[in-house]
Amino acid sequence: MKSFKRYTFLIMLVTMEISAQHTIMPLWPKEIPNQKETDEKEDATFNDDGILWITNVQEPTIEVYLPNKRAASGQAVVIFPGGGYYGLAYDWEGTDIAKTFNAKGIAGIVVKYRLPWSKSITSNKNIVPLQDAQRAIRMVRQKAGEWNISPNKIGIMGFSAGGHLASTLGTHYNENVYDRQDDIDDLSARPDFMALVYPVITLGAVSTHSGSRKSLVGENPTGAQIDYLSNEKHVDKDAPPTFLIHAADDGSVSVENSILFFRALRENGVSSALHVYPHGGHGFSLALHDPVLRDWINVFFDWVEHLD
């Protein structure tokens, strides 16, 4: 009965209009770093599955969903949709998730980040997503007071390739990957916690997602390029507490990705939780129609509520 009530609650969240404050803000009000001028246009269309699919991102943004002030928990999650670094499943793994967070009093901020597949990206395309990710969490931290967010309760969540970007931010947050533009860039880019949902983690040949790897580092990367973005190699004791969720039968992104990262977190003494479901495949998002898997978001809520 408890599971049924949770399921009904989640359906209502996704299908009804959520009453929340909502705004879209550019990440880079001055110059977008590491980008050249082209005539390429951003495209946003609904694919055959009815998912809003965005490609050729030209102007990265954050889309902010805030809960009612009286319900606000002080927590926020910056969300990175997946899409193989080729596109973004923007509502399925982005705005739908943000609205679900609002009902729990958590601010949800969806990042429309630049994609290294895009022709407009310079030769330094491998760091383009990280540049946008660092800027996004810094912007949220700068707006914390205005948005009823605690600046030390800002986490991140990424799906698939977005999970790779989230884990990249969680392990490369201290790196200087763009020139300072304003006071926002003086703030920390370290997430206070991470949630990685069927994430790409490694670019190593055995377990990687070939599409994400090709988008980031091309057809013939060097060993150094592969190691730099194989994020299980960059975990240390200061990595954020991490929640991982994966299906054992994922045929697109092997569950070994989550296992590799979990092992690295454990070896470095970082608080972490790994949940592997026997079935679910890839790209299940909230999994509302799966009687077992649909509870994962509530498991996450329980986890994040009890963080120190």
Side-chain angles (χ1 to χ4, degrees):
M1 179 63 71
K2 183 178 179 182
S3 178
F4 176 77
K5 288 180 178 179
R6 284 181 167 185
Y7 176 52
T8 304
F9 175 66
L10 281 172
I11 290 178
M12 290 174 64
L13 293 181
V14 176
T15 57
M16 71 184 289
E17 185 69 26
I18 302 295
S19 177
Q21 299 177 52
H22 168 232
T23 188
I24 297 176
M25 301 173 61
L27 277 180
W28 307 100
K30 297 180 181 179
E31 180 182 358
I32 301 175
N34 197 20
Q35 183 161 310
K36 60 187 178 184
E37 293 291 333
T38 71
D39 58 0
E40 188 173 308
K41 303 297 183 184
E42 187 170 305
D43 183 64
T45 57
F46 288 95
N47 66 15
D48 292 342
D49 294 321
I51 296 171
L52 180 58
W53 182 248
I54 299 178
T55 57
N56 297 330
V57 173
Q58 300 298 301
E59 296 184 7
T61 61
I62 54 172
E63 185 162 356
V64 183
Y65 289 82
L66 301 179
N68 183 281
K69 185 175 181 179
R70 292 179 63 186
S73 68
Q75 292 176 321
V77 179
V78 180
I79 304 163
F80 302 101
Y85 284 121
Y86 170 76
L88 300 175
Y90 193 74
D91 51 358
W92 184 246
E93 296 174 343
T95 55
D96 285 355
I97 308 300
K99 294 171 186 177
T100 303
F101 286 159
N102 280 181
K104 283 289 188 177
I106 301 171
I109 297 95
V110 184
V111 186
K112 187 183 73 174
Y113 57 91
R114 287 173 293 161
L115 301 158
W117 186 276
S118 172
K119 297 176 183 176
S120 67
I121 304 304
T122 70
S123 58
N124 294 321
K125 67 178 186 174
N126 61 312
I127 63 167
V128 162
L130 178 58
Q131 290 173 323
D132 290 349
Q134 284 190 1
R135 177 72 181 186
I137 195 168
R138 285 172 171 144
M139 285 185 67
V140 175
R141 196 155 268 138
Q142 192 268 340
K143 288 284 188 179
E146 180 182 338
W147 293 346
N148 301 305
I149 295 168
S150 299
N152 62 345
K153 293 184 178 181
I154 301 172
I156 57 177
M157 176 177 283
F159 296 78
S160 192
H164 182 268
L165 177 53
S167 68
T168 303
L169 178 59
T171 53
H172 298 265
Y173 58 84
N174 266 336
E175 294 183 18
N176 182 15
V177 294
Y178 64 87
D179 292 334
R180 181 185 185 275
Q181 290 202 1
D182 51 33
D183 291 347
I184 292 173
D185 294 323
D186 296 331
L187 299 174
S188 171
R190 181 186 181 274
D192 293 301
F193 57 88
M194 293 195 292
L196 308 178
V197 186
Y198 41 86
V200 178
I201 294 293
T202 186
L203 297 192
V206 175
S207 299
T208 194
H209 178 248
S210 59
S212 297
R213 171 173 158 157
K214 182 178 178 181
S215 293
L216 278 171
V217 295
E219 294 276 11
N220 299 297
T222 65
Q225 289 174 317
I226 292 171
D227 286 349
Y228 176 67
L229 291 173
S230 291
N231 293 322
E232 78 280 6
K233 297 178 181 291
H234 302 282
V235 174
D236 61 24
K237 64 181 180 58
D238 296 318
T242 302
F243 176 95
L244 295 124
I245 177 81
H246 223 118
D249 65 348
D250 191 327
S252 296
V253 177
S254 169
V255 69
E256 292 300 322
N257 283 267
S258 286
I259 293 171
L260 280 171
F261 203 69
F262 179 72
R263 183 180 297 125
L265 292 163
R266 293 274 295 168
E267 289 173 352
N268 284 276
V270 178
S271 176
S272 53
L274 170 63
H275 299 270
V276 178
Y277 288 78
H279 304 289
H282 189 71
F284 49 74
S285 184
L286 290 168
L288 295 180
H289 300 295
D290 187 309
V292 176
L293 193 53
R294 66 192 178 200
D295 202 48
W296 79 260
I297 191 68
N298 294 300
V299 177
F300 166 73
F301 286 142
D302 290 342
W303 177 82
V304 79
E305 184 179 348
H306 294 96
L307 284 175
D308 294 334

